[in-house]
Amino acid sequence: MSSKKFLDIIHKQRSVSKKKKFSGTFLEYLDLVNDNPDIAKLSHQRLYDSVVEYGVEELDDSDFRKWKLFDGDSLKIYNYFKDEFFGLERIIAKVMRYLKSASLRGEESRQVLLLMGPVGAGKSALTEHIKSALEGVAYYHLENDPQKGEPLHLIPRSLRDKFEKILGAKIEGDLSPVARHRLLKEFDGVYEDYPVVEGTFSQRARRGIAVVPPMDANSQDVSALIGSEDISKMDIFPEDDPRVLSLNGAFNIGNRGIVEFVEIFKNEIEFLHTIITATQEKHVPSPGKNAMIFFDGVIIAHCNEAEWNRFQSQHTNEAILDRIVKVNVPYVLELDQEIKIYEKQLNRSDFEAHIAPHTIKVASMFSVMSRLKPSQKCDLLTKMKIYNGEEVIEKGRVKKIDIKDLREEARNEGMSGISTRFIMKAIDNALTDSVEGIITPITVMEALIKQVKEQVINEDFRSHCLEILQKMVREEYLSILETEIAKAFITAYEEQAQSLFNTYLDNAEAFTTRQNIKNKTTKEEMEPDEKFMKCIEEAIGIVGSSKEGFRSDVTAYMFAKMRRGEVVDYKSYEPLKEAIEGYLIQSVKDMARIVTKSKTRDDDQQKKYGEMVRTMIDEYGYNEHSAEQVLTYASNNLWRDS
Ligand SMILES: Nc1ncnc2c1ncn2[C@@H]1O[C@H](COP(=O)(O)OP(=O)(O)OP(=O)(O)O)[C@@H](O)[C@H]1O
Ligand SMILES: [Mg+2]
């Protein structure tokens, strides 16, 4: 590209961004507010609006998560977070509820929002994303005011009622000492002439978004929060002249927007006292001898549980504790959502490796299970599935375990366990080590085991992790793999399943209503095919007298569905689906085993093997290397002793 082209781009951008930024007198600003009182809103409201602007939806009735996981709650889904955060819907809803109450000037507007949770649960990412909602958003402020104060503060107290009525806007707060000084000295108190400008929020340019990193005891200095006096100017101006002030602390920069406290309780408590006045009185001290300065901003802090517990246990901290709205940010316990986290991160990285099916799932099963507390009612794997909204089948019935009971039983779940970063690192390691540029569930499980051995220090937790990986995750993966390989063997799998389903349903109905079956072509009447039904039922362990209940359940369920006008297929009723799949898979297992295991195959076997590998590649998303790797793994681990 020639330099002319670059210049074009630059000029174009400049003309757009320069376009219609307001700059005028306070009187002109009053006109603007008169037309649109919304522009004078306070910080919580502005932030809330900036997020809501992207759209809010309620979890759809057709979404199984609504019923299975959220107890039928009409949970609000904020589009602004939707593609970035997964499984945090309820936490985000809490944050938004805080912002909403605060924007209605409730008590929350005088409280700090504290996100508390384990490492890598997304606290920083969430805060970062919340701050970004303000980036580029426009607001009006007094010109050259280090506080970038709301221009309406120019209106004297005695006139505020009147102006509030005319404008339909609330007026809260006071001029900064710098703006007040300028008003008196430069404009002789004629405030209608005071210049007002339009600006935008920008974290990098330190406009309206401020970050306070944790500081050690020695370097902690309140000037980081409230600014300082500029010694070089003290010779020029009198001591109490506001022009000596350098109002560049976080509460100055973050006025009108957000002040973030990173790892807040890593600071000494004295350092945090400013927060008390900032929240409760909406004023912060000014450096030197000046009066307090009005502050209107959203204060967001985050910390981990240990720090929180330590801080909370000291009763001298009560004053601050009383001003905190704590929102717990636990790890995700929903498998499908956990998977999305890593898919997002992998999509954003430069790795171009082939990732075999189930790889991310296997890693996510591990992290989720490591976070679950054991239950009296079921094993960890079952619990994970129920938390994921899956139906767990046992003896032909959907296992009736109420997710609410499981949650009751294990309060405070998700506050410990394996972190997202741990998993990402293991995936990265597997990617870096991979020879063929592939990663598979097998290489990722290896990487995870290695990393657990190296990095998990707590003995008990380490052996728990190894048990999850080497037993639970491994066995579950093998069973997924076994089904997949068998499916790959069956041509037109879905059609076969559907036809078995139709036959079964006809028979079960006839059996239940004690009628005969009419053959569709020959019109011949026959008794229900007991042998056939049994084969299907045995695949999920239904034997003996329980068959009658199962058959009438299936029939009742299907006909109720049909009456509602719903389409039924072999996937409609989970227990029957499992039974049919089990039956189909059982029927090809032996062949799958022989063909996969044998070193030498005859022509027919070689053909079958080739077709299966093709299906794995074309339909399931393997490539040649990964298919070979999992097949070798299957023949070494699945069908060992048979
Ligand atoms: N539920 C989630 N949805 C999407 N991404 C997530 C989720 N949880 C964690 N992450 C991702 O995991 C990474 C680590 O998160 P983050 O740094 O925000 O954790 P943290 O809670 O601040 O941890 P720490 O206490 O160690 O600072 C980020 O890249 C974040 O985007
Ligand atoms: Mg963090």
Side-chain angles (χ1 to χ4, degrees):
M1 226 192 268
S2 68
S3 57
K4 164 92 174 61
K5 276 193 183 158
F6 290 126
L7 211 57
D8 279 351
I9 298 175
I10 296 167
H11 285 163
K12 198 164 165 209
Q13 198 270 341
R14 192 170 290 148
S15 70
V16 172
S17 64
K18 274 235 168 117
K19 222 159 54 192
K20 41 179 189 295
K21 273 210 178 123
F22 173 88
S23 163
T25 63
F26 179 57
L27 199 61
E28 288 164 324
Y29 175 70
L30 280 174
D31 270 340
L32 291 184
V33 182
N34 199 31
D35 290 345
N36 178 15
D38 208 37
I39 62 175
K41 60 195 167 191
L42 295 182
S43 57
H44 292 88
Q45 173 105 52
R46 182 170 284 110
L47 181 56
Y48 178 78
D49 291 350
S50 308
V51 171
V52 167
E53 203 171 73
Y54 290 82
V56 192
E57 285 157 24
E58 273 182 9
L59 208 59
D60 203 72
D61 273 353
S62 65
D63 192 329
F64 81 96
R65 294 176 75 218
K66 173 168 178 172
W67 308 105
K68 287 260 155 91
L69 305 174
F70 302 124
D71 202 20
D73 241 4
S74 298
L75 201 64
K76 284 206 169 77
I77 305 295
Y78 294 86
N79 290 345
Y80 181 63
F81 295 97
K82 206 166 68 179
D83 300 329
E84 292 287 324
F85 295 94
F86 310 104
L88 297 185
E89 291 86 354
R90 275 201 280 210
I91 289 135
I92 288 164
K94 279 186 197 160
V95 169
M96 292 307 290
R97 198 179 313 137
Y98 157 85
L99 279 179
K100 185 166 186 189
S101 325
S103 53
L104 299 171
R105 293 160 198 263
E107 181 54 29
E108 279 86 347
S109 64
R110 293 167 186 272
Q111 303 253 322
V112 175
L113 175 67
L114 175 70
L115 303 177
M116 191 276 278
V119 291
K123 304 178 297 291
S124 298
L126 208 50
T127 313
E128 214 50 53
H129 198 60
I130 292 170
K131 287 188 295 181
S132 301
L134 277 189
E135 282 289 326
V137 168
Y139 66 121
Y140 298 85
H141 59 81
L142 297 167
E143 186 194 70
N144 292 338
D145 177 11
Q147 271 316 98
K148 298 209 171 10
E150 164 60 52
L152 293 179
H153 295 166
L154 286 164
I155 299 172
R157 294 266 156 190
S158 56
L159 281 178
R160 284 196 178 178
D161 272 354
K162 205 171 214 162
F163 271 95
E164 281 189 352
K165 281 209 187 76
I166 302 171
L167 296 171
K170 278 255 177 216
I171 307 173
E172 188 183 318
D174 306 289
L175 294 174
S176 75
V178 176
R180 179 177 308 285
H181 185 267
R182 187 173 175 208
L183 172 64
L184 297 177
K185 288 279 155 14
E186 202 174 314
F187 298 97
D188 207 16
V190 182
Y191 57 88
E192 61 272 32
D193 290 346
Y194 203 107
V196 170
V197 292
E198 182 185 350
T200 50
F201 289 92
S202 162
Q203 175 169 338
R204 238 160 14 108
R206 307 193 77 207
R207 293 195 304 259
I209 304 174
V211 179
V212 185
M215 280 175 267
D216 64 56
N218 299 322
S219 63
Q220 251 171 42
D221 183 350
V222 284
S223 67
L225 299 181
I226 61 168
S228 56
E229 288 179 301
D230 186 340
I231 302 171
S232 66
K233 288 185 183 154
M234 284 177 145
D235 298 338
I236 317 172
F237 303 116
E239 195 191 356
D240 56 354
D241 191 310
R243 282 172 295 180
V244 306
L245 299 178
S246 289
L247 294 179
N248 56 6
F251 283 113
N252 311 121
I253 302 296
N255 189 37
R256 312 286 304 274
I258 298 177
V259 178
E260 175 194 7
F261 282 85
V262 178
E263 315 268 359
I264 186 168
F265 298 130
K266 290 211 160 71
N267 296 296
E268 299 287 312
I269 177 71
E270 289 73 24
F271 181 69
L272 300 175
H273 277 151
T274 325
I275 292 179
I276 301 180
T277 59
T279 52
Q280 212 55 28
E281 295 157 34
K282 294 193 93 173
H283 279 81
V284 292
S286 104
K289 295 200 176 65
N290 278 280
M292 301 275 277
I293 300 176
F294 177 73
F295 169 78
D296 163 43
V298 183
I299 307 178
I300 304 181
H302 40 98
C303 72
N304 65 38
E305 196 171 25
E307 289 158 358
W308 166 255
N309 288 339
R310 188 161 43 82
F311 186 81
Q312 201 193 19
S313 66
Q314 280 168 329
H315 75 102
T316 44
N317 294 337
E318 267 168 13
I320 292 188
L321 283 169
D322 201 35
R323 290 168 173 84
I324 284 176
V325 174
K326 177 167 73 78
V327 172
N328 283 1
V329 186
Y331 289 132
V332 170
L333 300 180
E334 213 185 315
L335 181 63
D336 287 344
Q337 304 299 315
E338 179 79 0
I339 291 172
K340 286 186 189 165
I341 299 177
Y342 307 119
E343 284 175 345
K344 174 191 85 175
Q345 297 191 337
L346 285 169
N347 276 335
R348 291 189 183 165
S349 71
D350 291 334
F351 284 118
E352 277 174 9
H354 162 80
I355 300 173
H358 317 299
T359 304
I360 308 295
K361 180 170 182 174
V362 158
S364 304
M365 286 199 289
F366 169 56
S367 57
V368 170
M369 279 201 262
S370 79
R371 298 162 183 172
L372 297 179
K373 294 190 175 164
S375 166
Q376 304 284 332
K377 301 182 191 340
C378 60
D379 58 37
L380 275 191
L381 185 72
T382 306
K383 187 171 181 180
M384 179 192 76
K385 290 184 176 176
I386 292 175
Y387 274 13
N388 196 35
E390 294 172 36
E391 318 236 87
V392 181
I393 309 297
E394 200 182 61
K395 298 207 184 72
R397 301 249 150 124
V398 177
K399 208 165 178 168
K400 285 263 180 293
I401 297 180
D402 197 335
I403 192 165
K404 272 190 287 182
D405 294 341
L406 289 178
R407 286 180 180 149
E408 278 295 303
E409 193 187 31
R411 291 187 169 272
N412 224 12
E413 209 169 20
M415 295 306 266
S416 63
I418 289 295
S419 84
T420 46
R421 275 192 215 106
F422 188 98
I423 299 294
M424 266 322 288
K425 255 188 287 173
I427 294 176
D428 287 352
N429 286 340
L431 281 166
T432 320
D433 291 346
S434 87
V435 190
E436 315 278 5
I438 60 167
I439 54 169
T440 64
I442 300 142
T443 58
V444 163
M445 280 192 287
E446 275 167 15
L448 284 167
I449 290 171
K450 187 159 161 247
Q451 201 167 304
V452 166
K453 286 183 176 161
E454 280 169 12
Q455 293 181 11
V456 177
I457 302 155
N458 181 299
E459 276 296 328
D460 289 345
F461 186 54
R462 192 209 335 231
S463 46
H464 182 53
C465 285
L466 290 175
E467 191 191 329
I468 294 174
L469 277 168
Q470 290 167 328
K471 278 183 77 175
M472 302 178 218
V473 173
R474 178 175 174 274
E475 277 164 23
E476 179 66 7
Y477 173 59
L478 281 171
S479 113
I480 294 172
L481 191 56
E482 181 171 38
T483 310
E484 192 170 62
I485 293 173
K487 274 189 182 177
F489 256 104
I490 302 172
T491 31
Y493 178 84
E494 298 253 327
E495 274 166 44
Q496 290 203 41
Q498 190 56 37
S499 134
L500 283 171
F501 168 80
N502 292 338
T503 313
Y504 184 87
L505 196 57
D506 287 346
N507 279 288
E509 188 201 358
F511 176 86
T512 310
T513 55
R514 301 186 197 289
Q515 286 171 351
N516 282 340
I517 291 196
K518 214 185 232 154
N519 186 305
K520 285 196 176 93
T521 36
T522 63
K523 305 277 184 244
E524 198 182 349
E525 292 223 357
M526 285 180 309
E527 298 226 323
D529 187 345
E530 188 60 35
K531 209 168 134 213
F532 167 74
M533 286 190 284
K534 252 176 139 168
C535 287
I536 302 273
E537 288 152 3
E538 275 167 5
I540 49 168
I542 296 170
V543 283
S545 57
S546 57
K547 68 181 185 191
E548 291 176 24
F550 184 75
R551 289 171 195 173
S552 65
D553 281 358
V554 169
T555 315
Y557 185 88
M558 292 303 170
F559 285 96
K561 254 179 128 60
M562 286 184 209
R563 267 197 303 280
R564 289 198 298 270
E566 293 172 36
V567 190
V568 299
D569 63 15
Y570 83 95
K571 290 176 183 156
S572 297
Y573 185 56
E574 190 67 30
L576 184 56
K577 170 178 163 254
E578 292 233 340
I580 288 174
E581 296 201 320
Y583 171 82
L584 267 177
I585 288 160
Q586 203 56 46
S587 68
V588 291
K589 227 178 220 171
D590 284 345
M591 186 169 58
R593 175 167 51 84
I594 292 164
V595 172
T596 315
K597 262 186 98 80
S598 52
K599 296 256 171 331
T600 50
R601 303 182 184 103
D602 62 31
D603 282 356
D604 187 44
Q605 287 173 336
Q606 187 55 40
K607 184 163 164 273
K608 277 248 168 313
Y609 185 80
E611 279 170 5
M612 175 195 62
V613 173
R614 270 265 66 83
T615 307
M616 288 177 72
I617 294 171
D618 294 346
E619 284 174 39
Y620 301 162
Y622 288 90
N623 73 9
E624 267 159 41
H625 297 298
S626 64
E628 190 188 313
Q629 198 183 97
V630 301
L631 285 169
T632 310
Y633 184 76
S635 57
N636 290 338
N637 293 274
L638 259 179
W639 300 302
R640 249 233 179 91
D641 305 314
S642 36

